[in-house]
């Protein structure tokens, strides 16, 4: 069978026509005629008829065209890189990309964005390879060099040229002007089934003119920037891997070697922040760098050396982050550096405002820029999060010089001190406290007691870390402001840690020393460390006397009396508490009065003076203003009745206390009440009921200390534990 393309060429040349002349005669482009005559494109009947007419072939060329078998369409260019064998996780993201790439989806563009090293390209390639069969005209990937050091970011016009070439557009048909190129590209994509991955994009203008307006072609864009101006795209933000996925990646890279045990492997990926790039580098260094896993883990655990050991000749976490940071405007870069002053990687937006020294509007705008660059993430809960490696990088390479950084840190400390004081006042408005003034340097982080409690519950670890960093009086002021919250939440270890750090900074202030020692003594007592508590309160009393602080000395004496009571010295405790009660009443310190009334009731109960104990406990209950103090008063009265043998009264009171404690969301007092109910059941011989009550108590608070919690002590006596 005669092939039409070569036959057209033979007859044209026999007639003495050049390709240029023939193109003019048949009204087809020279490039198209060249492709037909060389067999790269199958000729259609219209072209055969035009040749027939010009060359006088008497219908012979049309006849050849009619019997030419249809040519099978060749598979388009498959330009995707190899899919890594170590790709793990990202199932939700792959599901989204699969939907975008399907023909059922009207959205034609997906933007995969994430911080440097998060695995954006690997995800895009995995999704593209999975969908490749749906794009017979080609699957292509182009690096737009948006974050390639030493190279300029590729423009839309340059990318359009390369794309058109890859789609077999003749060089002479590609317009020289940018608009002409992108118009031709969109028209070409409209009639093709092509999947294009535009990798490493810096800004939306690099890709916006390239995106298909209609047809089945699809585009996946990867970028370290969120590219929010691409409104019609489906945005897929990726973060670090989940911990279990990060561990699977590490183990896969280690090729099933047994040189790293599971505990070390989990620690290594945690120090890598579960970031794929960091995990790949760590695995490579252990496998091929002559490192033992344990020694490499030690280097990663040191913040000062972590980034240095996550660098290789051709890749590195620090190098990748440096590229992103170098593209930031100066104001955003400075704020990122100032945020490294924060001792936590998660911080309220108000604390960022304090660091910036700017108003809320200006701070929000700068944070928006950092959020868009995936250097921080903002959320609706008003928290700003930095990846641990970003925090470390900013601390080492972006933090401004001391004249800028030091005032920012001071503002941060002032902010947390002012917020902690405000929270303490909202949570325990009746508690007596020394006057301390500090500026928030921000909008208020909460408005009411519920907001204050929520703030304390998220920020107390930061407050603890700050006391390790602050070397002036704000250290002990912070500790005192958080003490009430620590007592309510029973966070004794952090309470003591914070106060021990504060004790050093209070050394030159006897009154402050007394307050801090009194706080440590309270925590020691709650832990059942009675002798240590007595020592702290005695030292506190001496410090207050030295300072000439009368009421401080009374507070220390009252606290010492509580500790003496739990040492078995009820009569001594009663005398000390009775003296303190008179002073508190004279000074109008109502909450201290209520607390001391309960203490006296307990001391009298220890002395079997139940009528007097009942009177003081009842007065404590009736005088209480805070709901939790009401509950404590009822529990106190229930204990008096339990010890006096009035089981029915004790049962009713414990039941009431348990219900009110649940409403007050206080697990400790509820556990006390439930333990008391269990004790009553055990005392009457119903051990099954007792076990049920005690089981409920453990669900609410499992660590009641028998030396301090009267009900827990009674249970221990009943069971012989």
């Amino acid at each position: 069978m005669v092939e039409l393309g070569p036959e057209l060429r033979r007859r044209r040349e026999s007639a003495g026509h050049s390709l240029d002349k023939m193109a003019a005669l048949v009204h087809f482009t020279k490039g198209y005629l060249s492709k037909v005559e060389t067999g790269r494109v199958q000729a259609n009947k219209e072209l055969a008829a035009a040749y027939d007419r010009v060359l006088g072939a008497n219908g012979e060329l049309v006849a050849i065209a009619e019997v030419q078998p249809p040519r099978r369409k060749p598979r388009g260019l498959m330009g995707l890189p190899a899919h890594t064998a170590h790709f793990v996780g990202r199932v939700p993201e792959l599901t989204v990309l699969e939907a975008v790439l399907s023909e059922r989806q009207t959205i034609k563009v997906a933007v995969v964005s994430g911080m440097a090293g998060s695995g954006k390209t690997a995800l895009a390639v995995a999704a593209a390879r999975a969908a490749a069969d749906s794009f017979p005209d080609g699957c292509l990937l182009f690096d737009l060099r948006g974050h390639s050091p030493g190279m300029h970011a590729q423009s839309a016009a340059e990318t359009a040229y390369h794309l058109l070439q890859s789609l077999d557009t003749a060089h002479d048909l590609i317009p020289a002007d940018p608009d002409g190129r992108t118009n031709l590209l969109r028209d070409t994509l409209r009639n093709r089934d092509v999947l294009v991955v535009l990798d490493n994009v810096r800004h939306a203008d690099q890709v916006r003119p390239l995106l298909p307006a209609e047809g089945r072609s699809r585009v996946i864009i990867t970028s370290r920037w969120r590219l929010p101006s691409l409104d019609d795209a489906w945005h897929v933000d990726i973060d670090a891997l989940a911990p279990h996925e990060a561990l699977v990646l590490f183990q896969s890279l280690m090729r099933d070697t047994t040189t790293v045990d599971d505990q070390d492997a989990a620690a290594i990926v945690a120090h890598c922040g579960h970031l794929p790039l960091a995990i790949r580098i760590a695995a490579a260094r252990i496998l091929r760098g002559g490192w033992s896993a344990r020694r490499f883990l030690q280097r990663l655990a040191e913040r000062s050396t972590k980034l240095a050991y996550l660098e290789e000749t051709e890749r590195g976490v620090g190098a990748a982050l440096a590229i992103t940071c170098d593209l930031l405007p100066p104001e955003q870069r400075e704020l990122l550096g100032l945020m490294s002053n924060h001792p936590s990687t998660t911080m309220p937006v108000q604390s960022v405002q304090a660091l910036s020294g700017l108003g809320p509007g200006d701070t929000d705008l700068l944070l928006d820029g950092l959020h868009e660059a995936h250097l921080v993430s903002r959320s609706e809960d008003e928290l700003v999060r930095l990846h641990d490696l970003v925090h470390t990088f900013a601390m080492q390479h972006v933090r401004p010089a001391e004249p800028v950084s030091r005032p920012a840190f001071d503002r941060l400390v002032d902010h947390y001190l002012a917020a902690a004081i405000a929270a303490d006042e909202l949570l325990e408005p009746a508690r007596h406290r020394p006057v301390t003034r500090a500026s928030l340097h921000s909008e208020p982080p909460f408005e009411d007691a519920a907001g204050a409690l929520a703030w304390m519950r998220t920020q107390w670890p930061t407050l603890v870390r700050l006391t390790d960093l602050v070397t002036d009086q704000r250290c002990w002021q912070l500790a005192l402001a958080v003490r009430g919250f620590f007592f309510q939440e029973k966070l004794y270890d952090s309470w003591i840690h914070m106060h021990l750090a504060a004790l050093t900074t209070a050394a030159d202030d006897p009154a402050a020393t007394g307050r801090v020692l009194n706080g440590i003594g309270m925590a020691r007592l709650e832990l059942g460390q009675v002798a240590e508590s007595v020592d702290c309160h005695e030292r506190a009393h001496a410090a207050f006397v030295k300072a000439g602080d009368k009421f401080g000395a009374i507070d220390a004496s009252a606290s010492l009396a509580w500790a003496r009571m739990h040492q078995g010295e009820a009569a001594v405790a009663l005398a000390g508490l009775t003296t303190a009660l008179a002073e508190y009443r004279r000074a109008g310190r109502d909450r201290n009065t209520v607390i001391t009334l309960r203490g006296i009731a307990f001391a009298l109960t220890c002395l079997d003076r139940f009528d007097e104990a009942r009177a003081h406990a009842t007065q404590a209950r009736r005088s209480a203003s805070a709901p939790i103090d009401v509950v404590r008063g009822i529990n106190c009265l229930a204990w008096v009745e339990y010890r006096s043998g009035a089981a029915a009264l004790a049962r009713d009171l414990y039941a009431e206390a348990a219900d009110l404690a649940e409403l007050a969301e206080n697990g400790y007092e509820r556990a006390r009440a439930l333990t008391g109910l269990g004790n009553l059941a055990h005392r009457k011989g119903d051990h099954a009921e007792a076990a049920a009550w005690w089981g409920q108590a453990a669900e609410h608070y499992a660590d009641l200390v028998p030396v301090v919690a009267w009900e827990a002590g009674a249970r221990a006596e009943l069971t012989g534990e």
Side-chain angles (χ1 to χ4, degrees):
M1 179 181 291
V2 177
E3 289 190 34
L4 181 57
E7 182 65 15
L8 294 178
R9 179 176 181 176
R10 186 185 67 78
R11 294 201 182 200
R12 172 182 63 76
E13 290 177 344
S14 296
H17 296 320
S18 68
L19 200 58
D20 285 326
K21 183 176 180 182
M22 195 67 184
L25 292 171
V26 298
H27 305 295
F28 283 84
T29 66
K30 174 184 174 182
Y32 180 67
L33 296 187
S34 175
K35 289 181 180 180
V36 169
E37 291 185 358
T38 56
R40 286 184 292 163
V41 174
Q42 187 171 22
N44 55 39
K45 292 181 181 179
E46 289 78 12
L47 180 62
Y51 266 71
D52 207 285
R53 173 178 53 78
V54 171
L55 300 175
N58 299 318
E60 294 177 5
L61 296 176
V62 173
I64 294 173
E66 288 176 345
V67 299
Q68 292 285 305
R71 183 178 295 178
R72 182 174 160 183
K73 187 175 182 180
R75 179 73 168 84
L77 181 63
M78 182 67 170
L80 296 174
H83 181 45
T84 174
H86 306 294
F87 182 84
V88 300
R90 306 300 191 196
V91 174
E93 293 87 352
L94 285 170
T95 301
V96 171
L97 291 175
E98 179 185 3
V100 173
L101 299 181
S102 71
E103 60 180 316
R104 301 183 303 275
Q105 181 60 255
T106 57
I107 296 176
K108 303 180 184 305
V109 180
V111 176
V112 177
S113 65
M115 69 174 285
S118 57
K120 302 176 291 296
T121 302
L123 172 61
V125 170
R129 282 195 164 274
D133 290 345
S134 300
F135 298 93
D137 293 328
C139 294
L140 311 172
L141 183 144
F142 290 90
D143 182 358
L144 273 60
R145 303 194 295 267
H147 305 95
S148 300
M151 305 180 71
H152 80 281
Q154 192 163 279
S155 68
E158 290 173 307
T159 304
Y161 178 84
H162 297 309
L163 263 170
L164 288 167
Q165 278 195 320
S166 298
L167 296 172
D168 291 329
T169 306
H171 172 76
D172 59 342
L173 295 181
I174 300 176
D177 67 288
D179 287 342
R181 284 185 189 176
T182 53
N183 281 326
L184 178 59
L185 174 63
R186 289 194 295 270
D187 184 66
T188 302
L189 292 176
R190 180 172 61 87
N191 298 306
R192 308 276 187 100
D193 294 341
V194 179
L195 173 57
V196 182
V197 178
L198 300 175
D199 190 35
N200 205 6
V201 174
R202 184 189 303 178
H203 51 78
D205 288 345
Q206 281 183 279
V207 295
R208 186 181 286 106
L210 311 175
L211 305 180
E214 50 190 331
R216 292 195 64 255
S217 291
R218 297 290 189 269
V219 176
I220 301 176
I221 297 166
T222 74
S223 180
R224 297 182 190 181
W225 309 80
R226 297 179 192 271
L227 307 182
S229 64
L230 296 178
D231 301 315
D232 295 330
W234 197 299
H235 291 261
V236 181
D237 296 338
I238 67 171
D239 204 341
L241 293 169
H244 69 280
E245 293 174 341
L247 187 58
V248 170
L249 173 60
F250 180 76
Q251 291 168 336
S252 171
L253 291 162
M254 294 301 292
R255 300 175 183 173
D256 300 322
T257 64
T258 58
T259 57
V260 185
D261 64 37
D262 290 344
Q263 185 174 355
D264 284 350
I268 287 169
V269 300
H271 283 298
C272 289
H274 305 121
L275 191 71
L277 174 60
I279 294 169
R280 288 176 179 275
I281 294 172
R285 297 200 69 165
I286 294 170
L287 274 175
R288 293 177 286 279
W291 283 86
S292 70
R294 183 63 54 83
R295 186 168 180 80
F296 191 74
L297 175 57
Q298 291 172 350
R299 298 288 80 77
L300 286 184
E302 298 173 15
R303 184 176 286 273
S304 61
T305 59
K306 177 182 293 189
L307 287 176
Y309 286 93
L310 293 176
E311 298 287 328
E312 292 180 325
T313 303
E314 297 180 356
R315 60 182 177 176
V317 174
L321 291 174
I323 293 170
T324 306
C325 290
D326 287 346
L327 295 172
L328 294 174
E331 298 84 0
Q332 291 179 18
R333 182 182 173 91
E334 179 175 289
L335 180 58
L336 179 65
L338 292 177
M339 290 171 69
S340 70
N341 280 304
H342 200 289
S344 174
T345 56
T346 299
M347 58 200 78
V349 67
Q350 293 85 358
S351 68
V352 180
Q353 183 185 338
L355 281 166
S356 74
L358 302 172
D362 291 335
T363 303
D364 281 339
L365 287 175
L366 294 178
L367 280 174
D368 281 348
L370 295 174
H371 177 76
E372 186 176 343
H374 276 286
L375 290 168
V376 308
S377 60
R378 299 187 68 174
S379 53
E380 294 179 0
D381 57 6
E382 293 293 300
L383 293 176
V384 182
R385 296 171 174 85
L386 280 76
H387 187 278
D388 182 62
L389 294 178
V390 174
H391 191 271
T392 301
F393 178 83
M395 182 183 297
Q396 294 178 359
H397 301 289
V398 188
R399 178 184 286 181
E402 189 73 5
V404 176
S405 192
R406 169 50 62 178
F409 180 73
D410 284 337
R411 290 194 299 270
L412 181 72
V413 176
D414 285 347
H415 167 81
Y416 271 103
L417 176 58
I421 292 170
D424 186 44
E425 291 174 346
L426 284 169
L427 293 174
E428 296 194 38
R431 186 163 66 83
H432 177 75
R433 54 179 60 81
V435 176
T436 304
R437 292 181 175 83
S439 173
L440 275 173
H441 299 289
S442 74
E443 296 175 302
F446 44 79
E447 297 178 353
D448 51 26
L453 181 59
W455 184 87
M456 276 286 201
R457 283 176 171 166
T458 60
Q459 295 307 300
W460 71 261
T462 295
L463 295 166
V464 173
R465 294 188 191 107
L466 280 174
T467 56
D468 292 332
L469 300 172
V470 179
T471 57
D472 56 33
Q473 66 179 9
R474 293 174 299 177
C475 177
W476 60 260
Q477 290 171 342
L478 275 169
L480 295 180
V482 183
R483 192 194 74 191
F485 169 77
F486 280 164
F487 177 79
Q488 177 177 319
E489 301 290 302
K490 308 305 177 188
L491 297 169
Y492 301 124
D493 290 340
S494 295
W495 176 352
I496 292 173
H497 174 92
M498 201 170 183
H499 277 61
L500 288 175
L503 199 57
T504 302
T505 62
D508 295 331
D509 186 333
T513 298
R515 294 186 187 101
V516 174
L517 283 169
N518 223 30
I520 297 173
M522 292 175 184
R524 296 288 188 200
L525 183 61
E526 293 295 320
L527 288 170
Q529 300 167 4
V530 182
E532 293 87 342
S533 175
V534 168
D535 176 68
C536 286
H537 291 312
E538 287 178 339
R539 290 164 59 197
H541 184 270
F544 282 126
V545 170
K546 180 180 179 181
D549 188 333
K550 175 184 176 182
F551 280 106
I554 293 169
D555 289 339
S557 296
S559 297
L560 178 60
W562 278 86
R564 292 290 191 199
M565 178 165 45
H566 290 290
Q567 269 190 328
E569 300 181 38
V572 174
L574 179 60
L577 289 168
T578 301
T579 300
L581 179 64
E583 294 294 340
Y584 288 144
R585 281 175 166 164
R586 269 195 291 271
R589 288 171 59 173
D590 295 335
R591 186 157 188 270
N592 293 93
T593 298
V594 169
I595 294 170
T596 307
L597 283 168
R598 290 201 305 267
I600 292 173
F602 285 129
L604 289 166
T605 302
C606 292
L607 297 170
D608 294 338
R609 294 161 59 176
F610 300 120
D611 289 340
E612 296 171 80
R614 187 179 296 111
H616 281 82
T618 300
Q619 189 176 358
R621 174 185 179 178
R622 291 174 178 171
S623 301
S625 57
I628 191 56
D629 280 329
V630 173
V631 176
R632 290 172 182 142
I634 297 172
N635 265 337
C636 176
L637 187 55
W639 173 249
V640 174
E641 302 299 356
Y642 174 85
R643 281 292 311 278
S644 71
L649 283 174
R651 187 177 300 107
D652 290 344
L653 287 165
Y654 275 134
E656 182 183 3
D659 291 341
L660 291 177
E662 185 173 24
L663 291 174
E665 298 181 355
N666 191 293
Y668 182 87
E669 292 298 326
R670 181 165 168 78
R672 278 190 58 198
L674 294 171
T675 301
L677 290 170
N679 295 343
L680 288 164
H682 192 282
R683 184 187 269 181
K684 71 178 183 179
D686 193 338
H687 293 181
E689 181 185 350
W693 285 120
W694 291 337
Q696 287 188 49
E699 292 175 5
H700 293 280
Y701 193 87
D703 298 317
L704 292 178
V705 178
V707 177
V708 180
W710 303 106
E711 292 77 14
R715 176 187 171 181
E717 290 178 4
L718 290 169
T719 60
E721 295 176 356

